[in-house]
Amino acid sequence: MKQAILTAPKTIEFSDVPKPAVKSNEVLLKVRYMGICGSDIHAYYGKHPFMSFPIRLGHEMSGEIVEIGSEVTEDLRLKDLVTIMPQEYCGKCEPCRSGRYNICNTLNVIGCQTPGAACEYFSVRADLVKKIPANIPAALAAAVEPAAVGVHAVRRCGSVKGMNVAVIGAGAIGNVTAQAALAEGAKSVLITDLSDHRLALAQRCGIPHTANTSRCSLSDAIHEAFGSGGADIFYECVGIGATVDQAIECSKKGHDIVIVGVFGSKPPVNLAWIQDRELRICGTLMYVERDVQDTINYMSEGKIHMEPLISNVFSFREFPDAFTYIEHNSDTSLKVMIKM
Ligand SMILES: [Zn+2]
Ligand SMILES: [Zn+2]
């Protein structure tokens, strides 16, 4: 089978290797689609702090089961369309024992620290596989993973039911966070960005309020969307100090700010207001199994829409071209897929 290895910055090498043998607790998948995400792009340029060369990318994927290991107990059949939860966790450390295996002390992410799905056939532990219902096509099944990031993020400070939610940043993760908030019963959602294209996509996904903060202040946008009651919670989905500060300055006293964005450097932010206004800042990383299952249900029920986010599809042979495309279309390429 063909596989693609990222061997050095901006260098993807294709090679022929034997189809993987399936261990007793594994299934073999014929890979159908693979999504490219922000962390893959950082890795491609050699700028990911926790990834090193050589690496076979691919943590967002869908595939069809073509072989099932002899001791697999999960309810899985040949030809099932599935996606994977790419977290190899220990199950023994303190976070794992409390059910928070997404922050396992020795977490390895498939496609980041262990070989991913950038290959024709992929073997994976059966307990990391999730079945996809028939009304979700294979391309969108590969987008369950990023959508689940939004669902987990929205749950980090308790229920958003009945809340006015503000999401800063309308890239793929901001978009799915906003959609997840609506799916989880938020009263209303505002999403902001500097790109009209991204905001138009958010509108297509059903986000009721959008604002371009290159043309208005965040506080004006909040007032416009929610009136004098303001926003009840903020999700920072950019990963820079300036937008964290915007959230701090616009937050009501005693409310929460969830940090979803990934930071390239340590930002100086207004901690004095965090202290004085009893604001609470909370982090979020990936998801756990119930977030993924609920994401699949939301997508199946039409409550989370991933199709508008897919900006382009490349063949496996064109995998390197996909990164060039993203480089030249950073504003408009939310989710690029590889069709295997
Ligand atoms: Zn990802
Ligand atoms: Zn652990």
Side-chain angles (χ1 to χ4, degrees):
M1 68 161 190
K2 285 249 178 303
Q3 68 169 9
I5 307 283
L6 184 63
T7 54
K10 299 177 87 166
T11 311
I12 291 176
E13 288 179 14
F14 287 89
S15 54
D16 279 302
V17 290
K19 237 197 231 185
V22 181
K23 294 193 192 118
S24 58
N25 64 340
E26 289 182 341
V27 290
L28 184 67
L29 307 179
K30 182 170 188 341
V31 181
R32 297 283 306 278
Y33 282 87
M34 178 174 60
I36 298 179
C37 109
S39 64
D40 298 322
I41 297 161
H42 287 306
Y44 182 73
Y45 292 106
K47 297 222 165 100
H48 197 292
F50 310 116
M51 285 166 82
S52 48
F53 301 116
I55 178 73
R56 196 171 79 196
L57 297 172
H59 63 277
E60 303 178 5
M61 64 87 70
S62 64
E64 193 180 302
I65 297 181
V66 291
E67 212 180 314
I68 299 176
S70 56
E71 285 164 34
V72 169
T73 53
E74 285 78 11
D75 177 28
L76 297 169
R77 306 237 151 86
L78 293 177
K79 295 196 172 157
D80 279 351
L81 178 68
V82 299
T83 187
I84 60 164
M85 299 176 284
Q87 297 141 309
E88 293 182 344
Y89 53 91
C90 78
K92 295 183 193 120
C93 68
E94 187 187 309
C96 277
R97 279 187 280 118
S98 65
R100 298 175 68 183
Y101 65 81
N102 58 314
I103 48 169
C104 169
N105 287 338
T106 54
L107 182 69
N108 281 318
V109 178
I110 292 172
C112 297
Q113 287 86 35
T114 66
C119 54
E120 289 174 299
Y121 292 91
F122 182 66
S123 59
V124 61
R125 268 166 46 186
D127 64 318
L128 301 182
V129 157
K130 273 274 167 209
K131 268 210 258 195
I132 300 296
N135 69 346
I136 299 179
L140 298 183
V144 165
E145 195 272 351
V149 172
V151 170
H152 183 77
V154 155
R155 294 172 166 179
R156 284 290 293 130
C157 286
S159 171
V160 293
K161 215 176 204 125
M163 284 190 183
N164 285 326
V165 171
V167 177
I168 303 175
I173 295 300
N175 180 302
V176 294
T177 301
Q179 292 199 60
L182 284 177
E184 299 260 292
K187 182 171 161 206
S188 193
V189 175
L190 162 72
I191 191 165
T192 69
D193 203 280
L194 304 177
S195 154
D196 286 329
H197 179 85
R198 290 173 175 219
L199 293 170
L201 282 179
Q203 273 168 7
R204 272 179 63 197
C205 294
I207 308 306
H209 300 285
T210 60
N212 189 320
T213 40
S214 69
R215 296 196 291 269
C216 68
S217 70
L218 181 62
S219 66
D220 286 348
I222 288 168
H223 196 266
E224 176 90 0
F226 305 138
S228 55
D232 298 311
I233 187 165
F234 284 86
Y235 293 87
E236 198 283 341
C237 302
V238 181
I240 58 170
T243 42
V244 177
D245 256 352
Q246 282 177 16
I248 292 171
E249 275 158 29
C250 292
S251 181
K252 294 189 283 188
K253 287 188 172 187
H255 282 252
D256 298 331
I257 298 166
V258 181
I259 305 294
V260 193
V262 177
F263 288 76
S265 59
K266 284 187 192 176
V269 296
N270 189 352
L271 288 179
W273 282 27
I274 302 280
Q275 176 271 319
D276 183 67
R277 301 175 166 216
E278 285 204 353
L279 305 183
R280 196 164 60 156
I281 286 207
C282 180
T284 180
L285 180 77
M286 298 183 87
Y287 36 74
V288 293
E289 195 267 343
R290 67 176 174 278
D291 304 316
V292 177
Q293 187 56 57
D294 291 342
T295 301
I296 292 170
N297 295 345
Y298 286 148
M299 285 171 64
S300 177
E301 294 158 7
K303 290 181 181 164
I304 290 183
H305 309 273
M306 295 308 284
E307 201 175 347
L309 276 68
I310 298 178
S311 29
N312 215 333
V313 180
F314 290 85
S315 71
F316 190 26
R317 241 174 347 106
E318 299 167 320
F319 191 25
D321 305 334
F323 287 97
T324 314
Y325 169 82
I326 293 166
E327 185 175 350
H328 294 134
N329 300 277
S330 56
D331 183 38
T332 53
S333 59
L334 263 73
K335 185 52 69 186
V336 169
M337 288 283 174
I338 306 296
K339 185 176 194 294
M340 304 297 285

